[in-house]
Amino acid sequence: MRSQRWLKRQGRLAGFSALSVVAALSPASYDRITGRGLAGMLCLGAWQMLPGYLLASILISTVLTRIVAVTAASYGLSHLALEAIVRVLVLELIPLAAALFVALRVAPVTMQRLGRPAGDPPPAYRDLIPYTVGSAGAVIVLAVLSGISALAVAYLVVHGISQWALADYARLIGQVFDPTMAAVFSIKLMLFAVVVGIAPTTVALDAGPLDPVVRQMRVMARLLLMLMVIEATLLILPRL
């Protein structure tokens, strides 16, 4: 019985997520009110925190790049330092960091606004669009901008302000972002954005006797688990 209830619940979540994606992709779902709410969520998830987030991203990128460069030089592997930085920092850490940041920043607000007591009808899918699309857009914006800044920082830390290595660095980036890795990176970023956008809205399905804090913790645990599964899966699949 417990397994049946679990499967039924997962089916409800899957159906809810699919319908949320369909609503978000439908042009008919967008009107002035939806656009205003979407702009507000984008502002909350990305614009308000963008300067601080980019500053933190630049500082962390500088420290990690310096550590990797010095360590590689001590082993005579300086020529591999930049490639390692791009692969680990830009391809793996930055998308996950952006998703976690937006989730921690926006998800509590989303769950607080969409939480409902038992007996109340769930919100319409159109009402969820500002939260789903706004959070997803914030993940993409932060990941792309912090990735670009990390690439610039990596070059400056290793080569300084000289221009002699720009051509080689551009060639290295092209080698790292080959068609396969570019596709994996794009898929990962889109999946992270979808999960961060949709997972907090599933609190609308959890109306019942549970304490609101417990419901929100369950949603956050589900979100983090899905992010980890996506990260692990896309780490393994390209190597099979």
Side-chain angles (χ1 to χ4, degrees), residues 11-214:
R12 287 184 63 205
L13 290 173
F16 178 86
S17 301
L19 290 175
S20 297
V21 172
V22 171
L25 295 177
S26 174
S29 300
Y30 294 87
D31 54 20
R32 182 175 298 178
I33 297 176
T34 303
R36 190 179 300 116
L38 175 57
M41 293 305 295
L42 274 173
C43 183
L44 175 66
W47 181 251
Q48 289 182 356
M49 300 301 295
L50 185 59
Y53 181 83
L54 284 182
L55 178 60
S57 177
I58 289 171
L59 291 176
I60 294 173
S61 299
T62 302
V63 172
L64 292 178
T65 302
R66 184 62 179 169
I67 291 173
V68 173
V70 171
T71 304
S74 65
Y75 288 97
L77 300 173
S78 299
H79 59 290
L80 299 178
L82 275 177
E83 182 177 354
I85 292 165
V86 173
R87 288 188 181 277
V88 175
L89 187 60
V90 179
L91 288 179
E92 306 298 341
L93 295 182
I94 283 179
L96 183 60
L100 291 174
F101 179 84
V102 175
L104 294 175
R105 168 78 174 170
V106 179
V109 176
T110 300
M111 291 187 290
Q112 183 179 9
R113 293 179 181 177
L114 296 180
R116 60 190 178 92
D120 285 4
Y125 287 101
R126 174 179 290 185
D127 298 333
L128 303 178
I129 288 177
Y131 304 100
T132 56
V133 179
S135 298
V139 172
I140 294 173
V141 168
L142 293 184
V144 170
L145 293 180
S146 57
I148 293 172
S149 65
L151 290 174
V153 166
Y155 179 86
L156 292 175
V157 170
V158 175
H159 297 295
I161 60 174
S162 62
Q163 301 180 6
W164 65 269
L166 279 176
D168 292 337
Y169 189 53
R171 190 178 304 110
L172 171 64
I173 294 174
Q175 292 172 352
V176 172
F177 284 91
D178 59 16
T180 300
M181 291 309 300
V184 170
F185 177 79
S186 300
I187 292 171
K188 177 191 296 186
L189 187 55
M190 292 303 299
L191 289 177
F192 280 175
V194 170
V195 168
V196 173
I198 292 179
T201 64
T202 60
V203 74
L205 298 178
D206 288 336
L210 286 178
D211 183 80
V213 176
V214 176

